[in-house]
Amino acid sequence: MTADLDVTRVGPAVAARFVRWMETGEGADEVFAPDVFGDITLPHWRLQTDNAADLVEIRRTDHPFTGTIRVERLEPTPVGWVMQIEERWTDASGAPWYCREMFRADVTDGLISDFAIYCCGDWDLAAVRRHEAEVTLLRP
């Protein structure tokens, strides 16, 4: 960990590169340290990695489609940031998908060195429509 990390300067830049990587699948080497530790919590599973290549491969395997990210919140921490997002994408058949995720990133020398991911799970169009019909959200 870098002792003099200025999260107000470095955090948003790393977060912006991270969002760009999520939307395009490109530039992982500008986001993750080669030896990044990743802890991924899914609705019914948990995975861990100890390097960028494996972390990127989990993303490519489990979520091969690029899409759009709406950052709902970005909060600095003493060593990085926490980000809350909404993600939308279209699969190979043209079907829309949706998910919400929360990330905690420790940043060392401008790269994510320790990363936790909490994913609500991927919702297909039927789940999105069922949710819209059954739940009135207080905030979007």
Side-chain angles (χ1 to χ4, degrees):
M1 174 182 356
T2 303
D4 61 351
L5 175 66
D6 180 357
V7 177
T8 61
R9 182 180 56 78
V10 176
V14 175
R17 290 195 310 266
F18 169 71
V19 168
R20 187 171 51 249
W21 171 73
M22 292 272 292
E23 289 183 328
T24 67
E26 299 173 3
D29 59 330
E30 299 172 358
V31 175
F32 300 109
D35 61 347
V36 62
F37 176 78
D39 192 357
I40 304 141
T41 302
L42 304 166
H44 302 287
W45 213 246
R46 186 174 178 197
L47 304 168
Q48 292 184 336
T49 68
D50 63 0
N51 64 78
D54 288 349
L55 183 60
V56 169
E57 187 58 28
I58 287 172
R59 170 75 176 180
R60 285 187 183 139
T61 300
D62 292 344
H63 196 303
F65 306 102
T66 57
T68 59
I69 305 291
R70 183 172 69 88
V71 176
E72 297 175 340
R73 193 165 190 144
L74 178 64
E75 295 286 334
T77 69
V79 295
W81 44 262
V82 174
M83 180 188 294
Q84 177 180 321
I85 69 152
E86 175 183 85
E87 183 175 14
R88 295 180 185 275
W89 69 96
T90 304
D91 70 16
S93 73
W97 287 81
Y98 168 86
C99 77
R100 293 175 53 81
E101 293 174 301
M102 184 84 70
F103 308 103
R104 192 241 344 117
D106 292 352
V107 177
T108 303
D109 297 327
L111 297 172
I112 297 172
S113 56
D114 195 277
F115 196 50
I117 301 166
Y118 296 88
C119 178
C120 74
D122 298 342
W123 298 6
D124 62 9
L125 185 57
V128 169
R129 286 187 174 152
R130 188 174 74 246
H131 183 265
E132 288 172 348
E134 296 178 18
V135 177
T136 300
L137 296 175
L138 300 175
R139 296 180 181 174

